[in-house]
Amino acid sequence: MFDVAMVEWINAEIDRYGDDLPAIRQFILSGGGVTSANLQYARAICRRAERSVVPLMREENIDPMALKFLNRMVTSKLFDPSNRYDRQVRLWGEEGQASIGSTSACVLGSDSLATETLKSLVLAGVQSFYIVDDARVEQADIGQNFFLHMDDIGRSRAEATLEKLTELNPSVLGSSSCQSSTALTQEDVEKLATFSVVVAVNQTEEVDAKFAQVLYDISVPFVCIKSCGLIGTIRICIKEHTIANSHEENPRPDLRLDAPFKKLTEMIAETDLNDMTIEQLRHTPYILLHFKALEEFRKQRNDENAFPTTTSDRKEIQNILLSFRRSKEDSGTKDSENFDEARAAVMRAFQKTTIGASVKSILTSSQCSTSTQPFWLICEALRRFVDANNGLLPLRGTLPDMTSDSSRYTRLATMFHEKALADAQEVLRFTREVEKERGVGDVISEEVCYRFCKNADRIRVQNGDLLDYSRETKEIVDKLREITVDEQTRAEKVDSATWILLMRAAGRFKKEKGRFPGTNGVPVSIDAQDLRKRVEALIKESVKENEDIEPILHNVTDSAIAEMCRFGAAELHVISSYVGGIASQEIIKLATNQYVPIDNTFVFDGHTQESATFKL
């Protein structure tokens, strides 16, 4: 029997360890060493046990605390979204989780890769998912899809996986269709427009192309995922994707050293380092030390607008900071920590407050002047704010941690926060003007406006092209043409572009022969010759007439062709799990409009455990 105290203890331990961790600022992928691998292995076993306990509870009288222990849940309160998704909310915030909770995904296929992708989306808390697949469970599925069992053989694969997936998260709605993917493309376009994202998993190029055309025209994100043996690929096709917060790693602090606002200027003016005691000096926030060093820098240059722009200038600022330090008379020790922080921060803090190229391109886009989409409405308001405020974006409003007495740090933090709120209110006023001009009503809330202004320097827009395999194959061939490596490197490591070309050649092999290379018991050596012919055909179609293809073909080694045949189109669960996890993260990025999605192609090579991204 499981004691309630055991469940409470394990949940408390998880929270204790979680509280000790630094803030999560990026997606986490498993790996890093033997210990990490063992933990992941143990976690997978626990999840497998949990999935086995759920159906067992329906048929047998077992202790319900067993499931709670496995699932780390103590009371019904933990079934609230605010508790269930607590750890991931730390990554993308309440607004991000709300976006995920309104996301509906249509997935074409229900094989191992599709199931692993959906598993991560279901656990993340999407609103709903819809599986489309006319396949039935076969013996081969059991070995590569952990969600299927022997008694599922002969059943609809879509229904069997749906059943298992919905057990993972009772708040997520799931449905399935046993029709083929091609049948769905013939349905009303409005059917596709109801989904937040459509995912094609291991579909043919013809199916991908049909969906891509329809979805591109109605601006619904389309994600193509494929795996073959040790290779996995992801291709994101979207007309326009707006990013409200790119979550730039280690962003430069917004201290406005070159453009202080009124209240900050007043506090700087009343700060006199010479009148301070040693104790007061030791607890002066380094932002004030920076401003005082800047004053001295300008005096030395006899230029009230001088600002350090070179490394040499910034080193001079560091020397000025050193000159501010004083020895403590009774011990001879120097005030240090805040000055050390000030000197260390000089190189990053002393930068002109400017607008980055990506934000500038957004503010000058024609979409700002015409679009009625919420993102572009507030961007037009932001543009008007910038015009009215000497080319400055709204203040971010946050201060980095720094050594300081509580009174001065609190005062600084309060004035930065108040200035940020005032800037956001001004942007909101401009937003209401834009909304009225375009007749769309109040679509931007005050909270959304404040959050947008806080991250105004991290907004981005991705524009993509329509999926076109013919054009992209030519670009892949161009990449192969540019490869210049020695023979040993070529033999030891296959370039990502080569794997994509081989997967396209394998798709053509399947279309023409009705099977994948390396299947039906045909020797690899025979299929390798046939696959090579299709590689040659793809290259010839992609180059100028009469161009010698041998230099390009030389980069597609016989060993790589043989390896593609050796795969036999097998799906390895470890590859499906890894690539499916990455695909689900990309879908979440698209849903939350946070972080920067892949632009637009991702390739994972299980041989070397390396990945590559590039735009086609």
Side-chain angles (χ1 to χ4, degrees):
M1 295 291 289
F2 281 80
D3 190 347
V4 174
M6 291 173 62
V7 181
E8 293 175 344
W9 171 80
I10 193 171
N11 208 66
E13 285 297 290
I14 290 169
D15 287 341
R16 182 171 67 85
Y17 281 110
D19 291 341
D20 290 340
L21 292 172
I24 301 173
R25 301 191 184 281
Q26 58 188 359
F27 286 95
I28 296 174
L29 295 175
S30 57
V34 175
T35 302
S36 175
N38 286 335
L39 286 170
Q40 290 295 330
Y41 187 62
R43 178 178 177 276
I45 291 173
C46 289
R47 286 300 182 207
R48 187 188 306 164
E50 181 186 355
R51 291 198 298 270
S52 299
V53 167
V54 170
L56 189 62
M57 287 186 66
R58 299 194 189 106
E59 301 173 4
E60 304 289 341
N61 184 22
I62 65 171
D63 184 3
M65 293 307 297
L67 180 62
K68 289 184 178 181
F69 183 81
L70 289 169
N71 198 249
R72 304 173 302 168
M73 294 184 176
V74 184
T75 66
S76 59
K77 178 183 176 183
L78 287 170
F79 283 90
D80 292 339
S82 59
N83 291 279
R84 179 185 301 158
Y85 306 123
D86 173 66
R87 288 169 180 80
Q88 63 194 45
V89 164
R90 301 178 195 179
L91 183 61
W92 44 68
E94 294 285 355
E95 70 281 2
Q97 188 59 47
S99 297
I100 295 170
S102 61
T103 296
S104 58
C106 173
V107 178
L108 312 178
S110 59
D111 57 14
S112 175
L113 181 57
T115 307
E116 288 297 324
T117 303
L118 276 169
K119 177 194 74 175
S120 297
L121 292 176
V122 169
L123 291 174
V126 295
Q127 181 185 60
S128 62
F129 63 93
Y130 181 56
I131 304 174
V132 180
D133 193 3
D134 60 351
R136 296 201 167 270
V137 180
E138 299 177 354
Q139 182 71 42
D141 292 314
I142 308 303
Q144 59 196 22
N145 192 335
F146 288 178
F147 281 77
L148 300 175
H149 304 289
M150 291 296 293
D151 55 2
D152 289 321
I153 294 177
R155 293 182 61 194
S156 162
R157 194 167 66 181
E159 292 178 356
T161 53
L162 170 67
E163 189 177 277
K164 308 300 190 301
L165 286 166
T166 50
E167 291 174 353
L168 295 176
N169 192 339
S171 67
V172 176
L173 302 175
S175 57
S176 65
S177 170
C178 297
Q179 64 183 333
S180 68
S181 301
T182 52
L184 185 63
T185 59
Q186 296 163 9
E187 291 187 4
D188 192 357
V189 172
E190 292 180 4
K191 171 84 172 179
L192 297 176
T194 61
F195 296 108
S196 307
V197 61
V198 177
V199 186
V201 185
N202 287 322
Q203 298 296 316
T204 65
E205 291 186 4
E206 290 73 22
V207 170
D208 289 345
K210 287 180 181 178
F211 272 89
Q213 181 66 65
V214 173
L215 296 168
Y216 190 82
D217 291 341
I218 59 176
S219 297
V220 172
F222 182 48
V223 182
C224 296
I225 320 171
K226 299 183 189 297
S227 71
C228 183
L230 291 169
I231 308 302
T233 66
I234 301 171
R235 169 67 163 88
I236 297 176
C237 177
I238 185 168
K239 196 170 191 176
E240 178 187 89
H241 176 61
T242 57
I243 303 166
N245 185 355
S246 62
H247 288 273
E248 176 188 343
E249 289 190 47
N250 301 315
R252 187 166 58 85
D254 186 12
L255 302 180
R256 302 292 168 97
L257 293 177
D258 59 332
F261 48 94
K262 183 179 178 182
K263 285 189 177 181
L264 181 58
T265 301
E266 292 171 355
M267 185 173 183
I268 296 165
E270 67 188 48
T271 300
D272 188 341
L273 301 182
N274 294 322
D275 284 348
M276 292 182 185
T277 65
I278 186 73
E279 203 61 29
Q280 289 172 329
L281 186 61
R282 289 179 61 198
H283 292 88
T284 299
Y286 78 68
I287 182 175
L288 295 179
L289 297 177
H290 279 175
F291 275 109
K292 288 301 174 181
L294 182 59
E295 286 180 2
E296 184 63 29
F297 180 84
R298 287 169 173 170
K299 282 181 185 178
Q300 292 177 4
R301 277 168 167 66
N302 196 27
D303 181 356
E304 62 181 16
N305 295 315
F307 192 82
T309 56
T310 65
T311 301
S312 176
D313 289 344
R314 295 183 189 106
K315 286 183 177 179
E316 191 173 335
I317 290 287
Q318 290 178 327
N319 291 331
I320 293 172
L321 287 168
L322 280 175
S323 70
F324 289 163
R325 297 172 66 168
R326 292 187 303 209
S327 297
K328 190 172 180 181
E329 294 177 4
D330 57 351
S331 66
T333 60
K334 284 183 176 285
D335 42 298
S336 59
E337 193 168 355
N338 61 332
F339 280 95
D340 290 341
E341 290 175 350
R343 294 183 71 242
V346 163
M347 293 300 177
R348 298 188 72 229
F350 278 87
Q351 304 282 344
K352 282 282 189 179
T353 306
T354 57
I355 299 177
S358 57
V359 178
K360 276 185 180 178
S361 67
I362 292 172
L363 299 184
T364 56
S365 170
S366 60
Q367 293 277 65
C368 275
S369 305
T370 58
S371 178
T372 57
Q373 293 297 315
F375 177 85
W376 291 107
L377 291 174
I378 198 169
C379 281
E380 170 60 15
L382 182 64
R383 185 190 64 76
R384 297 182 185 185
F385 174 92
V386 169
D387 289 345
N389 287 271
N390 301 315
L392 295 174
L393 289 171
L395 186 70
R396 195 180 302 157
T398 55
L399 282 178
D401 292 334
M402 58 186 74
T403 300
S404 172
D405 54 74
S406 58
S407 61
R408 282 185 287 182
Y409 187 82
T410 301
R411 183 181 172 189
L412 279 168
T414 300
M415 68 173 61
F416 267 76
H417 180 64
E418 289 176 348
K419 172 60 174 169
L421 286 176
D423 285 354
Q425 282 296 320
E426 188 175 352
V427 173
L428 183 63
R429 179 174 61 80
F430 283 125
T431 302
R432 294 290 177 253
E433 288 181 6
V434 178
E435 289 169 339
K436 186 175 180 180
E437 290 168 9
R438 299 183 190 175
V440 294
D442 296 350
V443 297
I444 305 295
S445 68
E446 186 172 347
E447 180 186 354
V448 168
C449 184
Y450 173 72
R451 196 164 56 240
F452 183 90
C453 291
K454 186 177 180 180
N455 301 305
D457 60 329
R458 286 171 274 186
I459 60 174
R460 302 287 186 272
V461 172
Q462 279 186 351
N463 293 297
D465 297 321
L466 177 65
L467 180 65
D468 183 342
Y469 280 121
S470 178
R471 173 183 57 78
E472 292 183 6
T473 301
K474 291 179 181 177
E475 293 179 14
I476 292 167
V477 170
D478 288 340
K479 289 181 180 293
L480 289 173
R481 184 188 285 111
E482 295 167 2
I483 294 176
T484 54
V485 295
D486 58 65
E487 291 302 319
Q488 183 178 349
T489 303
R490 183 180 288 104
E492 292 175 351
K493 182 179 178 181
V494 180
D495 189 83
S496 298
T498 301
W499 286 125
I500 295 181
L501 185 66
L502 284 172
M503 290 185 75
R504 301 236 168 122
R508 180 171 291 192
F509 188 107
K510 170 69 163 58
K511 180 181 178 181
E512 294 174 356
K513 306 196 76 166
R515 64 177 181 85
F516 281 102
T519 59
N520 288 17
V522 179
V524 167
S525 58
I526 294 176
D527 274 356
Q529 294 176 20
D530 283 350
L531 185 60
R532 184 180 180 83
K533 291 177 182 177
R534 285 157 180 82
V535 171
E536 292 177 2
L538 285 169
I539 295 175
K540 286 179 180 178
E541 293 167 9
S542 304
V543 300
K544 296 178 181 178
E545 190 175 356
N546 299 323
E547 181 180 346
D548 182 13
I549 68 168
E550 281 306 316
I552 302 171
L553 193 59
H554 183 62
N555 288 317
V556 185
T557 62
D558 290 339
S559 59
I561 293 173
E563 183 72 351
M564 182 59 65
C565 294
R566 190 178 70 87
F567 292 158
E571 277 190 274
L572 302 182
H573 182 266
V574 65
I575 301 298
S576 295
S577 178
Y578 187 81
V579 176
I582 293 174
S584 67
Q585 290 182 356
E586 296 307 307
I587 292 167
I588 288 172
K589 291 177 186 177
L590 295 170
T592 60
N593 295 94
Q594 296 186 45
Y595 298 90
V596 181
I598 292 166
D599 187 21
N600 53 24
T601 303
F602 170 89
V603 182
F604 176 70
D605 183 354
H607 301 88
T608 59
Q609 298 185 43
E610 293 180 355
S611 60
T613 59
F614 42 83
K615 186 168 184 176
L616 293 174

